[in-house]
Amino acid sequence: MFNRDRWKEILEVLTGNWFRTVLTAFGVFWGILILIILLAAGKGLENGIKQDFGDTATNTMFMWSRNTTKPYKGLPKGREYEFKLEDVQTINDHVPNLRFISPRNQLGGFRGTNNVVRGLNTGAFNVYGDYPEIIKQEPMTITSGRFINHSDINEKRKIAVIGEGVKSELYEKEETAMGTYIKIQGVNFMVVGTYKKKNTDGDGEEAQNQIFVPFSAFSQAFNTGNDVGWMAITANDGTSITSVKERIVDHIKEKHKIHPEDGRAVGYFDLYEQYNRVESLFGAMRIIAYFVGIMVLLSGIIGVSNIMLIVVKERTKEIGIRRALGEHPWSIKMQILMESIFLTIISGMAGITIGALFIYGINALLEANGPVDMFVNPSVNLGVVVSALVILIISGLLAGFIPAQSAIRVRPIDALRTE
């Protein structure tokens, strides 16, 4: 296989008609290039969509109360009700395989009226009354100090963890926030930590303009009692929240005397279900990308096979002479197969190289000009490249097999008579 004369002959055959060789190679080159670009584009879109989920635990559902739409047990239609802290224990007692249940309350809103004051500075921010587990459901980086702990909950400490966006609006650039006080709706809270996080807006403004305080202190300061605005519920690994959400909703309905068939009284958003839909969508896109790329590549391989048939036809007399001189048919067959594989691999590697440079260029543009919504870090993993090389080798063998078989079927005497 590594015979020097054989490789010299391969190069002479392929360079004997440059134009024909380039056109033949282009089909394989284009097929691999299209496959890589389609897969990279799909990965870029997938990364962009998944970035919208941020670092939030995807095996999570969010649940809130709404007005009832059916009368039940003497209670009227359109009744308002509130979740209570006791509902958390009810869910824990009756629904297994739940990792975290975080009751939450919220005050204010992004771009709403100013609700936080420090000295002469004011701002409108989302203020959340939370339990410590929320940091595991909506991960954030604590840039200074600490987050809420259970001692804060038990002792109803009026402490606050503020986002970097809140700090930049209420404090001077070099000023330290730790140990200072901010006034939320007229109630003083001491800042014990700052954070930075990602959410559905990436590193956007709203993600950094939030304030977290202990749930108990929030209830006391803003007179919400045991009311719970909404809950973030995360299932254990190995159990999807989708598989248990109906049981959770059913227990809430039973506790609050809601008709079992009232489908609107309990609102919820199943993040796991949405995430799986995205996974399925991009799984289908990958299959389509592979299908299109392989079909284009197949057309290139057919072109290589046709050209090799022409090459064998042109070399019929040469093959006859080699057979007459005693060369083994397998040696001739190997020669044709090696020419086919060599042409296929060289053109395929050129496609892989150009595809890699194209992806590098796109990433460089994205880095230079800032991220584009819904499109982040297009890439193709090493496994795809290795698979492409394996496909090229197999394709080269297939493309050369028919011409090689045609070459060894020619009888030496008939080949020598060919003009």
Side-chain angles (χ1 to χ4, degrees), residues 35 38-39 285-295 384 387:
L35 176 61
L38 286 175
L39 289 174
M285 288 182 63
R286 280 192 292 271
I287 291 172
I288 293 171
Y290 276 116
F291 178 78
V292 172
I294 289 173
M295 288 298 103
V384 171
S387 299

Side-chain angles (χ1 to χ4, degrees), residues 348-416:
M349 287 300 296
I352 290 172
T353 302
I354 297 300
L357 291 174
F358 178 81
I359 294 170
Y360 177 82
I362 293 296
N363 277 304
L365 284 174
L366 290 174
E367 187 174 343
N369 299 318
V372 177
D373 288 343
M374 311 291 283
F375 195 77
V376 177
N377 189 29
S379 60
V380 175
N381 63 44
L382 184 60
V384 171
V385 176
V386 172
S387 299
L389 289 174
V390 172
I391 291 172
L392 287 174
I393 293 171
I394 295 172
S395 300
L397 284 169
L398 294 175
F401 182 77
I402 295 175
Q405 287 293 104
S406 176
I408 64 174
R409 284 198 192 102
V410 179
R411 292 192 303 170
I413 189 66
D414 293 334
L416 290 172

